[in-house]
Amino acid sequence: MMRIAALVLGASLVAGCQTMAEPEDEPGYNLVEERGPGGSGGEDGAPSCAAAAYQVLVGQAIGEVHTASLPEPHRIYGRGDMVTMDYRPDRLNIVTGDDGVVVEVKCG
């Protein structure tokens, strides 16, 4: 009985280690290609969110920023916070330091 259980367990571990084929026809699957040649946005490599317009936020306390006026999608997080690693060229990222001051505004 133990041998059968060990065989079943071993077979399921091997099956779980197999890689799946990438669905290349699925839009948004290959995010590296969507970033453009520069890896940061549209076809010309420029970011496709409004990060350039929001660089004025750098140095301001996040509590003073009117977040309701930020474009969607956006996210605000601190350095070292856990965030998803998906790249969305249309998403505005506002990164704050430990003191709550905006240290970086970027797309992704």
Side-chain angles (χ1 to χ4, degrees):
M1 189 62 147
M2 289 294 282
R3 287 184 183 178
I4 293 173
L7 284 172
V8 171
L9 178 63
S12 62
L13 287 174
V14 170
C17 292
Q18 294 179 355
T19 59
M20 296 178 61
E22 295 179 3
E24 294 181 22
D25 58 15
E26 191 174 317
Y29 185 80
N30 191 348
L31 297 175
V32 175
E33 289 181 11
E34 286 186 10
R35 293 181 192 177
S40 61
E43 292 177 353
D44 61 350
S48 56
C49 76
Y54 289 91
Q55 292 301 315
V56 296
L57 298 178
V58 175
Q60 292 185 26
I62 195 63
E64 297 173 2
V65 176
H66 186 255
T67 57
S69 66
L70 295 174
E72 291 294 336
H74 72 268
R75 65 181 173 182
I76 301 169
Y77 59 93
R79 281 199 173 148
D81 287 355
M82 292 179 62
V83 294
T84 60
M85 295 301 294
D86 62 319
Y87 183 84
R88 295 187 54 190
D90 62 328
R91 178 173 50 204
L92 181 68
N93 288 299
I94 299 175
V95 186
T96 62
D98 293 336
D99 55 358
V101 174
V102 176
V103 293
E104 185 176 13
V105 177
K106 60 184 180 178
C107 296

